[in-house]
C-alpha cells in the first residue's frame, strides 16, 4: 500500500485498468500521474481527486514520453511506482487484419513499455528503490483466435519484463508482470467492435 505522497505513474490512465489503478492509489493518498492520449478519459479518471494529475502523451514517441515524465517528476517528485497499462486490442484474423493496425498494436503495447521503461527505470535504479509493474495478459500465455497481434505484443511484454527483472535483480527495484484474463473494460469492448 502506498504511503501518503508516494508518486505513482500510470500509462493508459484514461480508461480501464489504468483508471482503476489511478483511483485506488489516489484514494490511499498517493500523488498519481496519469498519462494517455485520451484527454477526456483522463479528465474523467481525475474527477473528484485533487491528487490525480493528467499528462497528455503519445506512448509511441520516446521524446514525448521523456518530456511527460520530466514534467510529472518536476511537479510531483521522483516516481516510486510505475504501472504500464497503455494498450489497444482490436480483434482480427492475422491474414485479414489491416497491416497498419497490427504494427500499431506492437508500437503501443510493447514499444510504449520500452519507451516508459527507458524514461523511468534508470531513476529508480539510481535511487535503489521502486515498483515496476507491466500489464500483460493471459493472452500473453495462451494464444487466442482473432487476437494474434495483441497476443504477440503481450508475449513481448512478458519477456521484456522478465529480462528487466534479471538485469536489475540487485537494484532494489521490484518487478511484476500482471496477466489478467479478459476483463470488462473499454479495451475488451474495442476488440469486440
Amino acid at each position: 500500500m502506498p504511503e501518503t505522497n508516494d508518486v505513482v505513474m500510470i500509462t493508459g490512465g484514461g480508461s480501464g485498468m489504468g483508471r482503476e489503478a489511478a483511483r485506488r492509489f489516489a484514494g490511499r493518498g498517493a500523488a498519481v500521474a496519469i498519462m494517455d492520449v485520451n484527454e477526456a478519459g483522463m479528465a474523467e479518471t481525475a474527477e473528484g481527486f485533487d491528487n490525480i494529475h493528467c499528462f497528455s502523451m503519445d506512448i509511441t514517441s520516446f521524446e514525448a514520453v521523456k518530456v511527460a515524465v520530466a514534467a510529472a517528476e518536476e511537479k510531483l517528485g521522483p516516481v516510486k511506482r510505475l504501472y504500464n497499462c497503455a494498450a489497444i486490442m482490436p480483434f482480427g484474423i492475422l491474414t485479414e487484419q489491416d497491416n497498419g493496425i497490427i504494427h500499431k498494436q506492437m508500437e503501443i503495447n510493447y514499444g510504449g513499455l520500452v519507451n516508459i521503461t527507458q524514461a523511468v527505470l534508470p531513476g529508480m535504479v539510481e535511487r535503489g528503490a521502486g515498483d515496476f509493474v507491466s500489464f500483460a495478459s493471459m493472452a500473453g500465455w495462451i494464444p487466442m483466435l482473432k487476437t494474434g497481434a495483441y497476443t504477440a505484443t503481450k508475449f513481448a511484454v512478458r519477456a521484456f519484463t522478465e529480462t528487466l527483472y534479471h538485469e536489475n535483480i540487485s537494484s532494489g527495484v521490484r518487478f511484476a508482470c500482471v496477466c489478467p484474463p479478459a476483463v470488462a473494460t473499454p479495451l475488451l469492448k474495442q476488440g469486440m467492435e
Side-chain angles (χ1 to χ4, degrees), residues 10-166:
I10 301 171
T11 68
S15 65
M17 303 294 252
R19 173 176 289 173
E20 182 67 23
R23 289 179 173 170
R24 285 185 182 220
F25 279 120
R28 294 174 182 165
V32 181
I34 58 174
M35 301 181 161
D36 208 311
V37 293
N38 180 358
E39 293 183 17
M42 285 195 294
E44 289 178 19
T45 299
E47 190 173 330
F49 293 95
D50 60 5
N51 54 334
I52 296 179
H53 307 270
C54 305
F55 297 87
S56 183
M57 177 192 76
D58 177 358
I59 194 84
T60 67
S61 165
F62 187 40
E63 289 306 313
V65 170
K66 288 189 292 185
V67 167
V69 168
E73 290 195 320
E74 182 177 344
K75 181 174 184 176
L76 305 174
V79 174
K80 185 166 184 181
R81 291 180 172 84
L82 173 67
Y83 276 60
N84 186 66
C85 304
I88 61 169
M89 187 177 69
F91 284 13
I93 301 294
L94 286 172
T95 55
E96 299 171 1
Q97 193 168 30
D98 179 83
N99 183 274
I101 292 295
I102 292 175
H103 285 287
K104 185 174 183 181
Q105 288 180 79
M106 189 60 79
E107 290 167 9
I108 293 171
N109 303 2
Y110 171 67
L113 173 60
V114 172
N115 291 341
I116 199 71
T117 297
Q118 291 190 330
V120 174
L121 185 57
M124 289 180 166
V125 171
E126 185 177 321
R127 292 186 295 274
D131 292 334
F132 184 101
V133 180
S134 301
F135 272 73
S137 167
M138 283 304 294
W141 290 93
I142 305 166
M144 299 182 301
L145 294 177
K146 297 190 178 179
T147 66
Y150 175 78
T151 292
T153 71
K154 295 306 183 175
F155 268 81
V157 167
R158 281 185 42 233
F160 186 81
T161 307
E162 184 166 349
T163 303
L164 283 176
Y165 162 75
H166 289 290

Side-chain angles (χ1 to χ4, degrees), residues 15-18 20 89 150 181-192:
S15 65
M17 303 294 252
E20 182 67 23
M89 187 177 69
Y150 175 78
V183 179
T185 66
L187 187 67
L188 183 62
K189 184 180 178 185
Q190 172 195 68
M192 302 294 280

